[in-house]
């Protein structure tokens, strides 16, 4: 199951499970749209993979399959 992480790894902004501002790589590293486009230029800084829009999970499914609550921060500082 896709981990819906609660924050951007760069700027720590909240990214709720229904957000359209969240982008992920194939390892589920999660970034907001601003960081992904302006700071990272569409490339994940952790794995070098492509960042694509994260699909939203339907409200009724979140009760059974809740989003992750563990905040993750990038291991290396994101480019500014
Ligand atoms: Zn961000
Ligand atoms: Zn990644």
């Amino acid at each position: 199951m896709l981990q819906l992480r609660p924050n951007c790894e760069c700027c720590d902004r909240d990214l709720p499970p229904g957000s359209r501002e969240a982008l992920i790589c194939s390892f589920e590293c999660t970034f907001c749209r601003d960081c992904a486009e302006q700071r990272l230029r569409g490339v994940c800084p952790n794995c070098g993979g492509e960042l694509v829009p994260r699909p939203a999970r339907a409200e009724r499914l979140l009760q059974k399959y809740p989003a992750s609550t563990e905040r993750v921060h990038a291991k290396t500082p994101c480019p500014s």
Side-chain angles (χ1 to χ4, degrees), residues 8-13 31-36 39:
C8 170
E9 288 196 21
C10 277
C11 68
D12 202 33
R13 160 185 327 195
F31 302 92
C32 72
R33 187 174 295 278
D34 286 350
C35 290
R39 302 171 80 174

Side-chain angles (χ1 to χ4, degrees), residues 9 24-31 44-49 51:
E9 288 196 21
I24 57 170
C25 77
S26 70
F27 293 100
E28 304 166 322
C29 309
T30 303
F31 302 92
C44 175
N46 298 325
C47 69
L51 293 172

